[in-house]
């Protein structure tokens, strides 16, 4: 994340350096990446072969979380650090389970927002905001959020494979919770070294050496604390993947490198 301003300034794309959104796109089988992104992704896969399965598992978990929350009456979603558009995006997931859903996509990567505005904004209930996800107050006060999201209704704050790029993430979730209506929720998928410590440490080192967004894998207790005042829904914090793309395993499979949780107020 590059700036503390809610609406990030125009910047020149540094395509010679890898970007987390484009590396993730490569791991998910997308096409919006460049040589530096592919090189880092391939090095990560050599050190952590389950990285692509973990990326797919996180997307699968997001789909299940959206379905769960839609069933609880949540129609508003703030996708923080949304990444590049996919074949199945959050607003499409929500539309399958609830009518009148509203989604604001937020990212500080100018390429991500350019793609989002070109490919996703096909109606009045979707917006894309270029902003630093750490500046909760400015995001919540932005014209996009103020236009689309009703503060009197529950909202889901989505952090899909995002918080592990932030060295101090707990305060962000707490800041969002302070403004949220009862029934609001948080969705988190997060990298962990609990089950494959050496391989995940190698992946974090590769991120650092390549000049990409840093990777801060956290243990189960740390990730649970990131939920702040949001109460985890059953089955709580679960490892994602474990050889089952898009699935969750209830036991500590050695190959799992992600956790997922949904919390509500």
């Amino acid at each position: 994340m590059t700036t503390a301003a809610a609406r990030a300034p125009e910047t020149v794309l540094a395509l010679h350096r890898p970007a987390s959104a484009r590396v993730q796109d490569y791991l998910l089988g997308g096409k919006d990446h460049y040589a530096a992104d592919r090189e880092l992704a391939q090095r990560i896969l050599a050190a952590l072969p389950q990285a692509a399965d973990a990326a797919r598992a996180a997307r699968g978990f997001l789909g299940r979380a959206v379905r769960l929350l839609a069933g609880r009456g949540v129609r508003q979603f703030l996708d923080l650090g949304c990444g590049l558009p996919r074949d199945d995006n959050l607003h499409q997931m929500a539309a399958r389970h609830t009518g009148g859903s509203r989604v604001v996509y937020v990212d500080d990567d100018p390429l991500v927002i350019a793609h989002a505005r070109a490919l996703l904004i096909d109606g009045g209930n979707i917006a894309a905001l270029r902003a630093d996800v750490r500046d909760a107050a400015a995001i919540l006060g932005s014209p996009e959020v103020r236009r689309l999201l009703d503060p009197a209704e529950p909202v889901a704050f989505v952090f899909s494979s995002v918080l592990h790029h932030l060295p101090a993430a707990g305060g962000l979730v707490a800041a969002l919770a302070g403004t949220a209506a009862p029934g609001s929720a948080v969705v988190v998928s997060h990298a962990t070294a609990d089950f494959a410590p050496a391989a995940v440490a190698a992946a974090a080192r590769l991120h650092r050496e390549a000049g990409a967004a840093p990777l801060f894998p956290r243990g189960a207790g740390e990730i649970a604390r990131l939920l702040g005042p949001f109460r985890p829904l059953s089955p709580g914090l679960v490892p994602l993947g474990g050889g089952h793309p898009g699935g969750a395993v209830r036991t500590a499979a050695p190959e799992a490198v992600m956790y997922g949780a949904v919390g509500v107020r």
Side-chain angles (χ1 to χ4, degrees):
M1 313 310 170
T2 56
T3 174
R7 192 172 295 278
E10 295 301 317
T11 58
V12 177
L13 286 173
L15 301 181
H16 63 289
R17 290 200 305 268
S20 59
R22 301 195 301 265
V23 171
Q24 185 83 344
D25 182 72
Y26 180 91
L27 293 174
L28 288 167
K31 56 182 177 56
D32 296 312
H33 40 71
Y34 296 88
D37 311 305
R38 293 189 288 272
E39 180 181 355
L40 176 56
Q42 290 161 5
R43 294 180 69 192
I44 290 171
L45 286 168
L48 188 67
Q50 61 269 58
D53 280 352
R56 290 191 291 269
R59 291 297 297 181
F61 175 76
L62 174 60
R64 296 192 301 277
V66 169
R67 181 181 64 209
L68 173 66
L69 293 175
R72 296 175 63 94
V74 176
R75 299 187 304 160
Q76 304 187 126
F77 298 85
L78 189 58
D79 192 351
L80 295 143
C82 58
L84 286 157
R86 308 295 312 152
D87 292 336
D88 193 19
N89 299 283
L90 195 153
H91 70 279
Q92 293 157 323
M93 297 175 186
R96 287 197 292 271
H97 305 295
T98 185
S101 57
R102 301 184 294 278
V103 177
V104 179
Y105 293 100
V106 182
D107 208 291
D108 73 347
D109 186 323
L111 186 67
V112 167
I113 295 303
H115 280 242
R117 288 173 177 162
L119 300 175
L120 302 182
I121 311 305
D122 58 358
N125 288 342
I126 307 168
L129 169 65
R130 186 180 172 204
D132 187 323
V133 300
R134 295 170 297 185
D135 196 341
I139 289 172
L140 294 173
S142 69
E144 290 87 346
V145 169
R146 291 170 66 88
R147 176 175 66 85
L148 279 184
L149 305 187
D150 184 347
E153 292 187 19
V155 59
F157 303 105
V158 175
F159 294 96
S160 183
S161 300
V162 172
L163 294 179
H164 53 230
H165 291 303
L166 301 179
L172 172 57
V173 176
L176 292 168
T179 70
S184 292
V186 64
V187 178
V188 172
S189 55
H190 195 297
T192 184
D194 280 0
F195 312 122
V200 173
R205 175 179 54 79
L206 290 169
H207 272 262
R208 184 172 62 252
E209 291 176 349
L215 180 65
F216 301 98
R218 294 181 172 97
E222 293 177 281
I223 298 169
R225 287 191 290 275
L226 292 180
L227 301 182
F230 292 92
R231 173 179 54 84
L233 292 176
S234 178
L237 186 71
V238 293
L240 303 180
H244 306 283
V249 289
R250 302 296 178 84
T251 57
E255 66 271 32
V257 295
M258 296 283 288
Y259 278 116
V262 179
V264 297
R265 290 192 64 194

